[in-house]
Amino acid sequence: MAKVKPELFEVLNDPKVEATLARLYKEALKQGWTMVFHFLPKIFQYFGKGIDWKTENESFYDDKYTPIVPDQGTFLYMQARALKAKNIFEFGTSYGISTLYLGKAAKDNNGQVISTEYLPHKVKIAREHMEEAGLSAYVKILEGDARETLKSLNTEWDFVLLDGWPDMVFTIFKRIEPNLKRGAVIAVDDVVGFQPSMQEYLDYVRNPDNGYLSTTIHPKKGMEFTIKVK
Ligand SMILES: C[S@@+](CC[C@H](N)C(=O)[O-])C[C@H]1O[C@@H](n2cnc3c(N)ncnc32)[C@H](O)[C@@H]1O
């Protein structure tokens, strides 16, 4: 993302959400060079067979936004609106950029987002961002490891974004799978850059016997787009 232009967020039609997103993307962009230098030695891997998450130092990401890009956010917002999704689940809040798109869809659909994040400082700040955008009433952020916090939920999900660490995606997916409504959409970010850690998930949702339609789409970044059809 080269520049943060207000037009990027216009479709949301909500000045508070748009202003919060513009501010946060500007903050995220300040980490741009740190991210570039981090990935530079692995650039061929990233754009080739993908990086195995096990080789990453997780603490590097403790203060990083690592958000979805605006094209992905817009796409997810539009999809959640098209589905009239009322119950939206997110794995990996970070500072809440993706959660703002999902929260705005929940507000428009008269629904809710349950998002999960295990770093307490990110949870605190993400909640402040929801407040700033006027979305607190539609978004609940569960603090802790999603494998634990999920246990308290038996919501039936219409729409899911899995954007926590790649090696955990399949585990989290299997936990929520019994609660996916027929027709539910599941989006997973970074399936190209971290393909080795996503392979089990991709093999599963791309096997029609398991009841899904799935393909990688590219709203700027590779994202697996899956529909539960059975
Ligand atoms: C790629 S970032 C999420 C970015 C966010 N979706 C956005 O677009 O702004 C991944 C986040 O998932 C969190 N995370 C990773 N594993 C987790 C787990 N097991 N439970 C809860 N959160 C987790 C990390 O702390 C990190 O903040």
Side-chain angles (χ1 to χ4, degrees):
M1 200 179 124
K3 238 181 175 182
V4 182
K5 296 180 243 148
E7 307 89 87
L8 285 171
F9 315 109
E10 260 171 9
V11 70
L12 297 169
N13 196 23
D14 186 321
K16 273 175 117 173
V17 180
E18 291 170 50
T20 309
L21 277 170
R23 187 177 76 71
L24 296 187
Y25 273 118
K26 277 183 190 150
E27 289 300 313
L29 267 181
K30 291 181 189 162
Q31 300 178 338
W33 284 112
T34 314
M35 298 305 292
V36 168
F37 287 126
H38 177 79
F39 281 108
L40 208 53
K42 310 174 185 193
I43 199 82
F44 292 111
Q45 237 177 310
Y46 189 84
F47 290 107
K49 289 185 175 158
I51 297 170
D52 185 339
W53 180 256
K54 284 194 204 80
T55 65
E56 284 291 295
N57 170 13
E58 277 187 24
S59 59
F60 167 77
Y61 295 92
D62 282 359
D63 65 342
K64 302 296 180 298
Y65 279 76
T66 54
I68 57 166
V69 298
D71 282 8
Q72 290 176 298
T74 302
F75 179 80
L76 293 172
Y77 167 72
M78 303 282 281
Q79 283 294 329
R81 289 295 308 274
L83 267 182
K84 300 186 172 62
K86 289 220 183 286
N87 289 302
I88 301 176
F89 174 72
E90 177 178 49
F91 169 46
T93 320
S94 190
Y95 292 110
I97 287 186
S98 51
T99 322
L100 289 166
Y101 286 100
L102 300 176
K104 176 63 168 88
K107 179 180 179 183
D108 296 336
N109 292 344
N110 203 15
Q112 61 160 353
V113 178
I114 307 284
S115 188
T116 53
E117 172 56 56
Y118 62 15
L119 295 176
H121 64 280
K122 285 191 171 178
V123 173
K124 181 176 176 290
I125 295 170
R127 283 182 183 144
E128 288 167 11
H129 294 160
M130 298 308 128
E131 192 68 43
E132 177 182 338
L135 293 175
S136 292
Y138 308 94
V139 177
K140 189 170 174 186
I141 301 173
L142 303 179
E143 180 178 321
D145 189 326
R147 287 168 295 184
E148 289 305 313
T149 53
L150 258 174
K151 286 181 184 163
S152 63
L153 306 172
N154 53 20
T155 313
E156 303 250 291
W157 305 112
D158 303 293
F159 195 91
V160 172
L161 172 63
L162 302 177
D163 191 24
W165 300 147
D167 61 345
M168 214 94 75
V169 158
F170 191 52
T171 305
I172 299 297
F173 174 77
K174 289 303 283 178
R175 297 269 167 97
I176 59 163
E177 189 179 22
N179 289 343
L180 289 175
K181 279 194 194 156
R182 187 179 293 188
V185 160
I186 307 104
V188 180
D189 191 23
D190 286 323
V191 290
V192 177
F194 290 99
Q195 185 165 345
S197 308
M198 302 283 192
Q199 201 55 56
E200 208 181 357
Y201 174 76
L202 297 176
D203 290 343
Y204 185 82
V205 291
R206 288 180 188 174
N207 178 348
D209 292 345
N210 291 323
Y212 299 92
L213 268 183
S214 195
T215 190
T216 301
I217 55 166
H218 297 267
K220 287 262 159 69
K221 260 163 98 197
M223 178 161 77
E224 188 72 4
F225 188 75
T226 303
I227 304 170
K228 183 177 161 72
V229 287
K230 283 189 206 159

PDB file of all heavy atoms in Angstrom, residues 143-163:
ATOM      1  N   GLU A 143      -9.778 -11.822  25.055  1.00  0.00           N
ATOM      2  CA  GLU A 143      -8.330 -11.806  25.324  1.00  0.00           C
ATOM      3  C   GLU A 143      -7.860 -13.202  25.732  1.00  0.00           C
ATOM      4  O   GLU A 143      -8.452 -13.824  26.606  1.00  0.00           O
ATOM      5  CB  GLU A 143      -8.026 -10.808  26.448  1.00  0.00           C
ATOM      6  CG  GLU A 143      -6.553 -10.745  26.768  1.00  0.00           C
ATOM      7  CD  GLU A 143      -6.258  -9.712  27.850  1.00  0.00           C
ATOM      8  OE1 GLU A 143      -6.875  -8.628  27.850  1.00  0.00           O
ATOM      9  OE2 GLU A 143      -5.390 -10.003  28.694  1.00  0.00           O
ATOM     10  N   GLY A 144      -6.803 -13.679  25.084  1.00  0.00           N
ATOM     11  CA  GLY A 144      -6.237 -14.989  25.426  1.00  0.00           C
ATOM     12  C   GLY A 144      -6.034 -15.820  24.177  1.00  0.00           C
ATOM     13  O   GLY A 144      -6.382 -15.403  23.070  1.00  0.00           O
ATOM     14  N   ASP A 145      -5.482 -16.999  24.373  1.00  0.00           N
ATOM     15  CA  ASP A 145      -5.247 -17.912  23.261  1.00  0.00           C
ATOM     16  C   ASP A 145      -6.598 -18.366  22.706  1.00  0.00           C
ATOM     17  O   ASP A 145      -7.431 -18.898  23.450  1.00  0.00           O
ATOM     18  CB  ASP A 145      -4.441 -19.117  23.785  1.00  0.00           C
ATOM     19  CG  ASP A 145      -3.967 -20.017  22.662  1.00  0.00           C
ATOM     20  OD1 ASP A 145      -4.690 -20.159  21.651  1.00  0.00           O
ATOM     21  OD2 ASP A 145      -2.871 -20.582  22.797  1.00  0.00           O
ATOM     22  N   ALA A 146      -6.787 -18.168  21.425  1.00  0.00           N
ATOM     23  CA  ALA A 146      -8.086 -18.489  20.808  1.00  0.00           C
ATOM     24  C   ALA A 146      -8.470 -19.953  21.035  1.00  0.00           C
ATOM     25  O   ALA A 146      -9.654 -20.280  21.114  1.00  0.00           O
ATOM     26  CB  ALA A 146      -8.054 -18.176  19.323  1.00  0.00           C
ATOM     27  N   ARG A 147      -7.473 -20.828  21.167  1.00  0.00           N
ATOM     28  CA  ARG A 147      -7.800 -22.247  21.389  1.00  0.00           C
ATOM     29  C   ARG A 147      -8.536 -22.422  22.711  1.00  0.00           C
ATOM     30  O   ARG A 147      -9.315 -23.350  22.878  1.00  0.00           O
ATOM     31  CB  ARG A 147      -6.511 -23.092  21.390  1.00  0.00           C
ATOM     32  CG  ARG A 147      -5.911 -23.249  20.002  1.00  0.00           C
ATOM     33  CD  ARG A 147      -4.525 -23.825  20.063  1.00  0.00           C
ATOM     34  NE  ARG A 147      -3.601 -22.914  20.735  1.00  0.00           N
ATOM     35  CZ  ARG A 147      -2.289 -23.133  20.854  1.00  0.00           C
ATOM     36  NH1 ARG A 147      -1.765 -24.227  20.367  1.00  0.00           N
ATOM     37  NH2 ARG A 147      -1.511 -22.253  21.458  1.00  0.00           N
ATOM     38  N   GLU A 148      -8.301 -21.493  23.660  1.00  0.00           N
ATOM     39  CA  GLU A 148      -8.991 -21.537  24.950  1.00  0.00           C
ATOM     40  C   GLU A 148     -10.267 -20.693  24.922  1.00  0.00           C
ATOM     41  O   GLU A 148     -11.329 -21.157  25.318  1.00  0.00           O
ATOM     42  CB  GLU A 148      -8.065 -21.010  26.058  1.00  0.00           C
ATOM     43  CG  GLU A 148      -6.922 -21.931  26.387  1.00  0.00           C
ATOM     44  CD  GLU A 148      -7.394 -23.338  26.757  1.00  0.00           C
ATOM     45  OE1 GLU A 148      -8.328 -23.449  27.568  1.00  0.00           O
ATOM     46  OE2 GLU A 148      -6.831 -24.310  26.208  1.00  0.00           O
ATOM     47  N   THR A 149     -10.147 -19.440  24.457  1.00  0.00           N
ATOM     48  CA  THR A 149     -11.289 -18.522  24.550  1.00  0.00           C
ATOM     49  C   THR A 149     -12.473 -19.011  23.709  1.00  0.00           C
ATOM     50  O   THR A 149     -13.633 -18.756  24.040  1.00  0.00           O
ATOM     51  CB  THR A 149     -10.898 -17.091  24.116  1.00  0.00           C
ATOM     52  OG1 THR A 149     -10.289 -17.137  22.831  1.00  0.00           O
ATOM     53  CG2 THR A 149      -9.944 -16.463  25.101  1.00  0.00           C
ATOM     54  N   LEU A 150     -12.153 -19.755  22.644  1.00  0.00           N
ATOM     55  CA  LEU A 150     -13.210 -20.280  21.777  1.00  0.00           C
ATOM     56  C   LEU A 150     -14.121 -21.273  22.495  1.00  0.00           C
ATOM     57  O   LEU A 150     -15.277 -21.459  22.106  1.00  0.00           O
ATOM     58  CB  LEU A 150     -12.546 -21.027  20.619  1.00  0.00           C
ATOM     59  CG  LEU A 150     -12.451 -20.339  19.282  1.00  0.00           C
ATOM     60  CD1 LEU A 150     -11.643 -21.181  18.323  1.00  0.00           C
ATOM     61  CD2 LEU A 150     -13.833 -20.071  18.728  1.00  0.00           C
ATOM     62  N   LYS A 151     -13.559 -21.904  23.543  1.00  0.00           N
ATOM     63  CA  LYS A 151     -14.309 -22.961  24.223  1.00  0.00           C
ATOM     64  C   LYS A 151     -15.600 -22.435  24.850  1.00  0.00           C
ATOM     65  O   LYS A 151     -16.545 -23.178  25.053  1.00  0.00           O
ATOM     66  CB  LYS A 151     -13.443 -23.608  25.316  1.00  0.00           C
ATOM     67  CG  LYS A 151     -12.374 -24.523  24.759  1.00  0.00           C
ATOM     68  CD  LYS A 151     -11.577 -25.146  25.895  1.00  0.00           C
ATOM     69  CE  LYS A 151     -10.444 -25.993  25.319  1.00  0.00           C
ATOM     70  NZ  LYS A 151      -9.416 -26.303  26.321  1.00  0.00           N
ATOM     71  N   SER A 152     -15.608 -21.126  25.176  1.00  0.00           N
ATOM     72  CA  SER A 152     -16.791 -20.559  25.836  1.00  0.00           C
ATOM     73  C   SER A 152     -17.897 -20.205  24.840  1.00  0.00           C
ATOM     74  O   SER A 152     -18.949 -19.706  25.220  1.00  0.00           O
ATOM     75  CB  SER A 152     -16.380 -19.294  26.597  1.00  0.00           C
ATOM     76  OG  SER A 152     -15.898 -18.327  25.680  1.00  0.00           O
ATOM     77  N   LEU A 153     -17.668 -20.447  23.545  1.00  0.00           N
ATOM     78  CA  LEU A 153     -18.626 -19.989  22.529  1.00  0.00           C
ATOM     79  C   LEU A 153     -19.359 -21.159  21.868  1.00  0.00           C
ATOM     80  O   LEU A 153     -18.733 -22.167  21.550  1.00  0.00           O
ATOM     81  CB  LEU A 153     -17.883 -19.235  21.406  1.00  0.00           C
ATOM     82  CG  LEU A 153     -16.978 -18.082  21.803  1.00  0.00           C
ATOM     83  CD1 LEU A 153     -16.205 -17.609  20.582  1.00  0.00           C
ATOM     84  CD2 LEU A 153     -17.803 -16.940  22.377  1.00  0.00           C
ATOM     85  N   ASN A 154     -20.663 -21.013  21.675  1.00  0.00           N
ATOM     86  CA  ASN A 154     -21.299 -21.983  20.779  1.00  0.00           C
ATOM     87  C   ASN A 154     -22.162 -21.287  19.732  1.00  0.00           C
ATOM     88  O   ASN A 154     -23.207 -21.780  19.338  1.00  0.00           O
ATOM     89  CB  ASN A 154     -22.056 -23.087  21.531  1.00  0.00           C
ATOM     90  CG  ASN A 154     -23.034 -22.485  22.510  1.00  0.00           C
ATOM     91  OD1 ASN A 154     -23.402 -21.323  22.365  1.00  0.00           O
ATOM     92  ND2 ASN A 154     -23.439 -23.253  23.511  1.00  0.00           N
ATOM     93  N   THR A 155     -21.675 -20.141  19.308  1.00  0.00           N
ATOM     94  CA  THR A 155     -22.351 -19.347  18.274  1.00  0.00           C
ATOM     95  C   THR A 155     -22.265 -20.066  16.929  1.00  0.00           C
ATOM     96  O   THR A 155     -21.293 -20.750  16.652  1.00  0.00           O
ATOM     97  CB  THR A 155     -21.616 -17.980  18.138  1.00  0.00           C
ATOM     98  OG1 THR A 155     -21.403 -17.468  19.445  1.00  0.00           O
ATOM     99  CG2 THR A 155     -22.389 -17.010  17.302  1.00  0.00           C
ATOM    100  N   GLU A 156     -23.287 -19.906  16.115  1.00  0.00           N
ATOM    101  CA  GLU A 156     -23.267 -20.432  14.747  1.00  0.00           C
ATOM    102  C   GLU A 156     -22.740 -19.333  13.836  1.00  0.00           C
ATOM    103  O   GLU A 156     -23.357 -18.260  13.751  1.00  0.00           O
ATOM    104  CB  GLU A 156     -24.690 -20.795  14.309  1.00  0.00           C
ATOM    105  CG  GLU A 156     -25.365 -21.788  15.206  1.00  0.00           C
ATOM    106  CD  GLU A 156     -25.517 -23.123  14.530  1.00  0.00           C
ATOM    107  OE1 GLU A 156     -26.311 -23.204  13.581  1.00  0.00           O
ATOM    108  OE2 GLU A 156     -24.818 -24.078  14.940  1.00  0.00           O
ATOM    109  N   TRP A 157     -21.630 -19.592  13.164  1.00  0.00           N
ATOM    110  CA  TRP A 157     -20.953 -18.533  12.410  1.00  0.00           C
ATOM    111  C   TRP A 157     -21.435 -18.430  10.961  1.00  0.00           C
ATOM    112  O   TRP A 157     -21.555 -19.431  10.263  1.00  0.00           O
ATOM    113  CB  TRP A 157     -19.433 -18.767  12.410  1.00  0.00           C
ATOM    114  CG  TRP A 157     -18.876 -18.901  13.780  1.00  0.00           C
ATOM    115  CD1 TRP A 157     -18.342 -20.026  14.344  1.00  0.00           C
ATOM    116  CD2 TRP A 157     -18.815 -17.875  14.797  1.00  0.00           C
ATOM    117  NE1 TRP A 157     -17.958 -19.764  15.646  1.00  0.00           N
ATOM    118  CE2 TRP A 157     -18.234 -18.465  15.937  1.00  0.00           C
ATOM    119  CE3 TRP A 157     -19.199 -16.537  14.849  1.00  0.00           C
ATOM    120  CZ2 TRP A 157     -18.009 -17.753  17.122  1.00  0.00           C
ATOM    121  CZ3 TRP A 157     -18.992 -15.836  16.020  1.00  0.00           C
ATOM    122  CH2 TRP A 157     -18.410 -16.427  17.132  1.00  0.00           C
ATOM    123  N   ASP A 158     -21.650 -17.169  10.532  1.00  0.00           N
ATOM    124  CA  ASP A 158     -21.998 -16.890   9.125  1.00  0.00           C
ATOM    125  C   ASP A 158     -20.755 -16.523   8.324  1.00  0.00           C
ATOM    126  O   ASP A 158     -20.713 -16.706   7.106  1.00  0.00           O
ATOM    127  CB  ASP A 158     -22.916 -15.654   9.008  1.00  0.00           C
ATOM    128  CG  ASP A 158     -24.177 -15.788   9.801  1.00  0.00           C
ATOM    129  OD1 ASP A 158     -25.003 -16.645   9.442  1.00  0.00           O
ATOM    130  OD2 ASP A 158     -24.342 -15.030  10.788  1.00  0.00           O
ATOM    131  N   PHE A 159     -19.791 -15.930   9.017  1.00  0.00           N
ATOM    132  CA  PHE A 159     -18.660 -15.332   8.312  1.00  0.00           C
ATOM    133  C   PHE A 159     -17.434 -15.396   9.217  1.00  0.00           C
ATOM    134  O   PHE A 159     -17.517 -15.065  10.404  1.00  0.00           O
ATOM    135  CB  PHE A 159     -18.992 -13.868   8.001  1.00  0.00           C
ATOM    136  CG  PHE A 159     -18.094 -13.252   6.979  1.00  0.00           C
ATOM    137  CD1 PHE A 159     -18.424 -13.302   5.628  1.00  0.00           C
ATOM    138  CD2 PHE A 159     -16.920 -12.618   7.349  1.00  0.00           C
ATOM    139  CE1 PHE A 159     -17.593 -12.731   4.667  1.00  0.00           C
ATOM    140  CE2 PHE A 159     -16.087 -12.045   6.398  1.00  0.00           C
ATOM    141  CZ  PHE A 159     -16.424 -12.097   5.048  1.00  0.00           C
ATOM    142  N   VAL A 160     -16.312 -15.818   8.642  1.00  0.00           N
ATOM    143  CA  VAL A 160     -15.116 -16.049   9.461  1.00  0.00           C
ATOM    144  C   VAL A 160     -13.882 -15.480   8.754  1.00  0.00           C
ATOM    145  O   VAL A 160     -13.703 -15.689   7.554  1.00  0.00           O
ATOM    146  CB  VAL A 160     -14.925 -17.584   9.673  1.00  0.00           C
ATOM    147  CG1 VAL A 160     -13.597 -17.877  10.353  1.00  0.00           C
ATOM    148  CG2 VAL A 160     -16.079 -18.170  10.465  1.00  0.00           C
ATOM    149  N   LEU A 161     -13.044 -14.783   9.528  1.00  0.00           N
ATOM    150  CA  LEU A 161     -11.726 -14.384   9.022  1.00  0.00           C
ATOM    151  C   LEU A 161     -10.673 -15.016   9.928  1.00  0.00           C
ATOM    152  O   LEU A 161     -10.640 -14.753  11.132  1.00  0.00           O
ATOM    153  CB  LEU A 161     -11.559 -12.858   9.027  1.00  0.00           C
ATOM    154  CG  LEU A 161     -10.133 -12.366   8.699  1.00  0.00           C
ATOM    155  CD1 LEU A 161      -9.708 -12.762   7.281  1.00  0.00           C
ATOM    156  CD2 LEU A 161     -10.027 -10.843   8.863  1.00  0.00           C
ATOM    157  N   LEU A 162      -9.833 -15.857   9.334  1.00  0.00           N
ATOM    158  CA  LEU A 162      -8.750 -16.483  10.093  1.00  0.00           C
ATOM    159  C   LEU A 162      -7.450 -15.792   9.707  1.00  0.00           C
ATOM    160  O   LEU A 162      -6.961 -15.948   8.586  1.00  0.00           O
ATOM    161  CB  LEU A 162      -8.680 -17.989   9.792  1.00  0.00           C
ATOM    162  CG  LEU A 162      -9.961 -18.781  10.090  1.00  0.00           C
ATOM    163  CD1 LEU A 162      -9.805 -20.249   9.690  1.00  0.00           C
ATOM    164  CD2 LEU A 162     -10.366 -18.673  11.554  1.00  0.00           C
ATOM    165  N   ASP A 163      -6.931 -14.980  10.629  1.00  0.00           N
ATOM    166  CA  ASP A 163      -5.748 -14.169  10.331  1.00  0.00           C
ATOM    167  C   ASP A 163      -4.800 -14.144  11.532  1.00  0.00           C
ATOM    168  O   ASP A 163      -4.079 -13.190  11.745  1.00  0.00           O
ATOM    169  CB  ASP A 163      -6.190 -12.745   9.935  1.00  0.00           C
ATOM    170  CG  ASP A 163      -5.046 -11.930   9.346  1.00  0.00           C
ATOM    171  OD1 ASP A 163      -4.090 -12.529   8.819  1.00  0.00           O
ATOM    172  OD2 ASP A 163      -5.097 -10.686   9.432  1.00  0.00           O
TER     173      ASP A 163
END
